Amino acid sequence: MDYVSALLPPVVMAVFFISVIRVIVKTQGGANKAKEDAAVDAALARAEAARQSSASPSPEA
């Protein structure tokens, strides 16, 4: 019975990992894909604008 208790945690973790991967794959695409892509593009644009504004030298006279 020691082998059962030794193998149970890795088997449970493997099943959990496979189920998480299946959920991730199933939720890709679909009706919300365009909305999710737009949200990511907007976040990247904000990050790029913030990076450029902090990198540009401020004019000091």
Side-chain angles (χ1 to χ4, degrees):
M1 286 306 281
D2 287 339
Y3 63 90
V4 173
S5 62
L7 289 177
L8 189 60
V11 170
V12 170
M13 289 302 294
V15 169
F16 177 74
F17 181 72
I18 290 170
S19 64
V20 167
I21 296 300
R22 288 187 68 199
V23 167
I24 290 171
V25 169
K26 282 186 177 183
T27 57
Q28 296 299 309
N32 291 328
K33 182 167 177 32
K35 186 169 61 172
E36 292 171 358
D37 289 346
V40 169
D41 290 341
L44 289 175
R46 282 193 305 268
E48 181 67 22
R51 187 181 65 83
Q52 286 180 354
S53 67
S54 66
S56 65
S58 58
E60 295 181 19

